[in-house]
Amino acid sequence: MRFGKTLREATYPPWKGQYIDYSKLKSLLREDQRDDDTPWTEEDETRFSDEIFNVQLDKVATFQEQTVASLRRRIDDAFDKLKDIAPAEGKPKSDITDGRLKQLKDEANAITSEVEQLKKYSSVNYTGFLKIVKKHDRKRGDRYKVRPLMKLRLSDRGLNAEKEYSPLLKKLSTIYYIIDSHLDDGADQSQPPDLEHQEEVKNGERYTAHKFWVHPDNLLEVKTFILRRLPALVYSEQASKELEGNEDPSITSLYFDTSKFDLYMRKVDRQVDASSLRLRWYGPLSAKPEIYLEQKIIHENGTSEEKKINIKDKYIKQFINGEYKMEKTIQKMERQGQQPDRVESLKKTADEIQDFITKHKLDPVLRAVYTRTAFQKPADDRVRVSIDSDIAFIREDTLDRDRPCRDPSDWHRGDIDNSNMTYPFKNINQSEVSKFPYALLEIKVKEDANRKKPTWVEDLMGSHLVHSAPRFSKFVHGVASLFEDYVNNLPFWLSDLERDIRKSPKQAWDEEEQKKKNRAEDAQVIGSFLGKGSASYKAAAGSYKPAASSPVGQSYLAQRVEAEDHASGANGREEDGEDHHDQPGGQQDYGTLGKILPSFSIGSYARLRRDRVKLPEGVVEPTTWIKNEGPLQIEQKVWLANERTFLKWQHICVLLGSLAVGLYTAAGENFLAECMGIAYIAIAAMAGIWGYFMFNRRQSMIIERSGKDFDNMVGPIAVSIAMMIALILNFVFAYRAAFGKLHDGNGSAGNGTRELLMGEL
């Protein structure tokens, strides 16, 4: 389907004039004039760029910002109304209250519908901008490339960004939960839905799955952080043989879809019961690994269901064509005397998957290859962590009948599997490969009402080391990155790829604290509405405290704790009647000694801090820093850099000293020259002493593994100022001496002339 038709079908009538004018941009690009040989001039490029960036993009982004702000105000107003109609504690509900709640639910439904329309609006415009600039670069890209700039501008303006809609949906989910619980429409819910994770059911157990991106700069730190809590998972003996002892196996997932990418569109649109189908195996296919055919279904409530069968590679093509129904596997299970329930379950699962394939006419279209590192305690699956790195997506389709990526008579690419080709797949057409720039972290925690999520898991999820990607899908991303010309809807996370996902520990801590605060406020509001059973929500609201440990920067955490202690100390002094003075920024004045040496302060806040810091049982206060443990290992270039700086200072010292000695020796009877020579000798000595002092100081800092800065501007500035003063004084004294000699010479000549004239008279 052409994008122009998709845009017309997706247009929301009340917002008709606010969409991208795709037809106008195509006319400016002269896309429809195929046989036009008129050259593309600088004026044409300026006209097109001004229209798309300054008119169309600004129009769409401004409308989205205004609509989001309006929706946010409407949601806040609805939440305030919900507070106003809440029944008093201990009093029964009234029909009037129920009527008002139903009316408020209708209002929430209207807001939700508009949020959904805005999401579609943002998505279709986002896709339109990327498609038109792709046409531009393909048709006019010999001299001008605008697609990279467009991606950056789309990311900056927040178009099709999940962060614009998640806060709205979270607030709406809380409103719905309160109303439904109060009206007994959602009595089976134990808590409001969390949009930041997905629920999975595996072997009858329910898990919550959290997905994150990890920047390559943070990957090692994330792995070591996890290794301190969970051991690396040891794979089966068969997998170890296949991988020749490699602990991190390479995994291949072969995804299926139709020629129109119907499965992809259902997943991107988040339709009910959206499914995906894949073949998955570990290691190279030539090693005859076990191959699994898996169907994953995402239900309306966010939970996922997985159907899986084990199949041999020689039967895969027949199974896809509907010619093989796992008869041999079923017969083998019956000969082995396995339970009839297992045999029947396999037969039922195989039939359902095969019917799904034949009904939708599915074929392999995409291959995802990645290296997986898994972490899990033996015989304990309460917390399972996996990290996928070196992720590459490869086309596996036969859409182009003249140049198919895969042999249509086979189910996989022989050029990759027969040669055991590995990452980064340099021997195939690079237009058929897309490499994902980050690693993918997935944390699965088993749901247990009696157990809380481990603290270290919450610390990692809220740290600066990871970037939340709750709805990321390898299948969706691979299709969006390799088949952009075939699809008219793109996932929201593509805009996140255009900006640096790394963030400072301070920023990550602030964001996590805000999330915890919001969750506590929601729990408090929900508890006030539910009445019966609200004690658990009130307890959750009252238990909100900053995390005791976190992988974020410890210095910033210490500052936050100290700020809280300062505030507690201020309250204590107010109660005791002590005077204090407000400082700018809301801080309190606790005395000069407390400012300079907070640990030496004897104020009430300091005593409170000492009293409240209690180590857990079994934890001993460390005597040495972690950075100082282990043998000293310093790179040679660090020592040589310090030595090279020292030699530079000695070079300056020798140069100035030689100049000073030469000046002093040649001074003779000139007192000024002698003084300046002595001054230059002093400056040279100062440079030499400073260089030797800094050499020893930096050497000590290197040995002590100090985290302080090695630069120091005092010495260079002092030597420069001393030289400047010496040169200025030299010039002043020399100028005064020369001017004095000239004055004395002129006076003697005048007296002689006067005497000669008197003699003549």
Side-chain angles (χ1 to χ4, degrees), residues 421-438:
M421 196 181 302
T422 58
Y423 188 88
F425 303 98
K426 295 181 178 180
N427 297 330
I428 61 177
N429 189 342
Q430 292 302 297
S431 64
E432 300 174 358
V433 183
S434 174
K435 300 180 182 67
F436 190 65
Y438 307 122

Side-chain angles (χ1 to χ4, degrees), residues 732-748:
V732 171
F733 291 149
Y735 177 79
R736 292 181 62 182
F739 186 78
K741 289 181 180 180
L742 180 62
H743 180 73
D744 293 341
N746 292 338
S748 300

